[in-house]
């Protein structure tokens, strides 16, 4: 019997990638991760190559306490995500439910993937 295969799609928008680059390139983050700005660029280039680009037809701002988090929500909503994986479940939870998107922690997402295989 063949194993059931699940497909996972990473969604990104241009504003979200720009935000990731800005945050990841902060000196304290580069130092803590022992990365260079070039390393961050290479990592984000790899993410862009495997992710599905999301066109932002609608902007949902302001929704969250942190305006930068609105970019994550906009990519999820416009990309018709089933699940939003974040360490910040408290801030996203209510809005995920509003748009029919499950909000879960990375650990919960990994455990769910393990049970699907």
């Amino acid at each position: 019997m063949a194993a059931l295969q699940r497909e996972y799609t990473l969604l990104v928008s241009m504003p979200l990638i720009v935000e990731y680059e800005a945050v990841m390139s902060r000196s304290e983050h580069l130092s803590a991760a022992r990365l260079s700005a070039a390393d961050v660029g290479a990592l984000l280039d790899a993410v862009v190559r495997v992710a599905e680009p999301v066109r932002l037809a609608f902007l949902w701002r302001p929704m969250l306490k942190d305006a930068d988090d609105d970019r994550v929500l906009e990519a999820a909503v416009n990309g018709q995500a089933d699940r939003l994986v974040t360490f910040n479940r408290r801030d996203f939870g209510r809005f995920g439910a509003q748009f029919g998107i499950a909000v879960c922690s990375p650990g919960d997402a990994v455990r769910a993937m393990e049970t699907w295989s």
Side-chain angles (χ1 to χ4, degrees):
M1 180 174 189
L4 175 66
Q5 287 205 301
R6 297 280 181 164
E7 189 173 306
Y8 308 97
T9 304
L10 175 64
L11 302 173
V12 295
S13 65
M14 185 54 70
L16 186 56
I17 288 295
V18 170
E19 174 64 18
Y20 284 165
E21 182 177 35
V23 171
M24 292 171 70
S25 297
R26 291 179 188 160
S27 60
E28 64 271 20
H29 294 165
L30 292 173
S31 176
R34 297 184 180 139
L35 295 174
S36 68
D39 294 330
V40 168
L43 175 62
L44 291 174
D45 286 347
V47 167
V48 168
R49 279 194 295 276
V50 299
E52 181 176 315
V54 173
R55 181 179 164 275
L56 300 179
F58 297 99
L59 300 181
W60 302 96
R61 298 181 192 178
M63 295 283 281
L64 298 159
K65 286 192 273 185
D66 181 348
D68 293 332
D69 288 343
D70 285 332
R71 292 179 178 105
V72 175
L73 182 64
E74 287 170 348
V77 172
N78 283 281
Q80 299 178 337
D82 297 321
R83 184 177 306 233
L84 192 154
V85 180
T86 179
F87 285 110
N88 187 6
R89 289 181 8 189
R90 182 182 57 193
D91 289 348
F92 281 97
R94 178 178 107 198
F95 297 104
Q98 179 179 336
F99 291 104
I101 300 170
V103 177
C104 67
S105 71
D108 290 341
V110 168
R111 282 186 287 282
M113 288 188 281
E114 289 170 348
T115 63
W116 292 341
S117 50

